[in-house]
Amino acid sequence: DQQVKQNSPSLSVQEGRISILNCDYTNSMFDYFLWYKKYPAEGPTFLISISSIKDKNEDGRFTVFLNKSAKHLSLHIVPSQPGDSAVYFCAASLQTGANNLFFGTGTRLTVIP
Amino acid sequence: KAGVTQTPRYLIKTRGQQVTLSCSPISGHRSVSWYQQTPGQGLQFLFEYFSETQRNKGNFPGRFSGRQFSNSRSEMNVSTLELGDSALYLCASSSRPQGNTEAFFGQGTRLTVV
């Protein structure tokens, strides 16, 4: 049972434009959400996170939006750069639980120069 | 500060054999988690250790086991290997014992079972 879903396996965006990656979750108990970026043959790299008490968190070109009522979050990258091309994973966790992250299946972002 | 170190990076084993993977967390991190990544499945949680105790376990058969040592280093063992165990195994460490904190991943061990 996939509790975190990324329904778009791939996304292509022109350099300089905005990339929007989406993620849905089913477990209303999740209260902390993270985005990771992964290159082939490497481990995921933490990008940005958001607590459920917030609806937006921004870090440079990366912004994560959380809509708790819709159980939906999104990652905005603006402007997109060719170096952003990678697989992006959405993850969720329970604050009171152990360090167990529930991951989506990932979205492959390709930024076209 | 050194990152999470996993050894070996690549491994080829035969069906029926057993394998042990190693993970050294970031210095000072006491929580170590293991994940399996297969094509199309994303990252699936295997288990998590904190202060040498397994606190949480994912939905994997008993052939998958692990342990953590007093210096927080962790090992993962898979016995009676099956072809379907071929995957990238990732280890992550965290500084806090509970959620709402980011986990830092190693580069992974690519296991191929033939």
Side-chain angles (χ1 to χ4, degrees):
Chain A
D1 179 31
Q2 195 75 24
Q3 298 188 55
V4 178
K5 300 177 184 179
Q6 293 175 259
N7 293 319
S8 298
S10 63
L11 174 68
S12 292
V13 172
Q14 286 290 135
E15 180 179 4
R17 306 294 292 269
I18 184 171
S19 296
I20 300 176
L21 297 97
N22 294 303
C23 178
D24 298 292
Y25 60 95
T26 57
N27 189 342
S28 58
M29 299 299 291
F30 288 145
D31 51 16
Y32 194 71
F33 304 89
L34 310 91
W35 284 94
Y36 283 85
K37 174 181 178 180
K38 187 178 183 302
Y39 294 114
E42 291 186 12
T45 302
F46 169 74
L47 269 178
I48 191 170
S49 62
I50 186 168
S51 167
S52 61
I53 62 173
K54 296 184 176 181
D55 54 18
K56 177 183 174 181
N57 188 26
E58 191 172 354
D59 184 2
R61 297 185 298 114
F62 302 91
T63 303
V64 56
F65 294 92
L66 175 63
N67 182 334
K68 288 189 294 293
S69 61
K71 295 193 184 68
H72 177 84
L73 65 157
S74 61
L75 174 68
H76 292 210
I77 306 173
V78 57
S80 300
Q81 300 173 354
D84 296 330
S85 297
V87 177
Y88 288 78
F89 288 96
C90 167
S93 72
L94 301 165
Q95 183 174 352
T96 56
N99 285 314
N100 172 8
L101 292 174
F102 296 83
F103 281 88
T105 51
T107 296
R108 180 177 300 279
L109 173 65
T110 302
V111 180
I112 304 164
Chain B
K1 200 180 213 182
V4 178
T5 304
Q6 290 188 247
T7 56
R9 290 291 310 278
Y10 302 93
L11 207 50
I12 299 176
K13 288 286 189 178
T14 305
R15 271 184 304 173
Q17 286 187 312
Q18 69 92 26
V19 66
T20 299
L21 312 180
S22 180
C23 171
S24 293
I26 292 172
S27 177
H29 286 194
R30 293 162 62 193
S31 171
V32 174
S33 302
W34 288 88
Y35 294 83
Q36 180 196 65
Q37 185 187 15
T38 53
Q41 291 295 313
L43 283 78
Q44 302 290 318
F45 172 76
L46 280 156
F47 29 65
E48 189 247 358
Y49 287 86
F50 183 82
S51 293
E52 302 179 65
T53 301
Q54 185 183 94
R55 300 197 300 170
N56 203 0
K57 191 175 192 304
N59 189 25
F60 279 82
R63 299 184 298 106
F64 292 82
S65 63
R67 58 177 175 169
Q68 186 180 33
F69 302 94
S70 58
N71 61 358
S72 294
R73 189 178 71 85
S74 177
E75 288 182 346
M76 187 192 111
N77 186 77
V78 187
S79 62
T80 320
L81 284 165
E82 301 177 359
L83 295 179
D85 296 334
S86 295
L88 179 67
Y89 290 88
L90 292 158
C91 165
S93 75
S94 300
S95 59
R96 288 190 270 179
Q98 292 183 330
N100 84 344
T101 183
E102 58 267 26
F104 296 89
F105 283 83
Q107 291 186 295
T109 295
R110 171 72 62 185
L111 171 65
T112 302
V113 182
V114 297

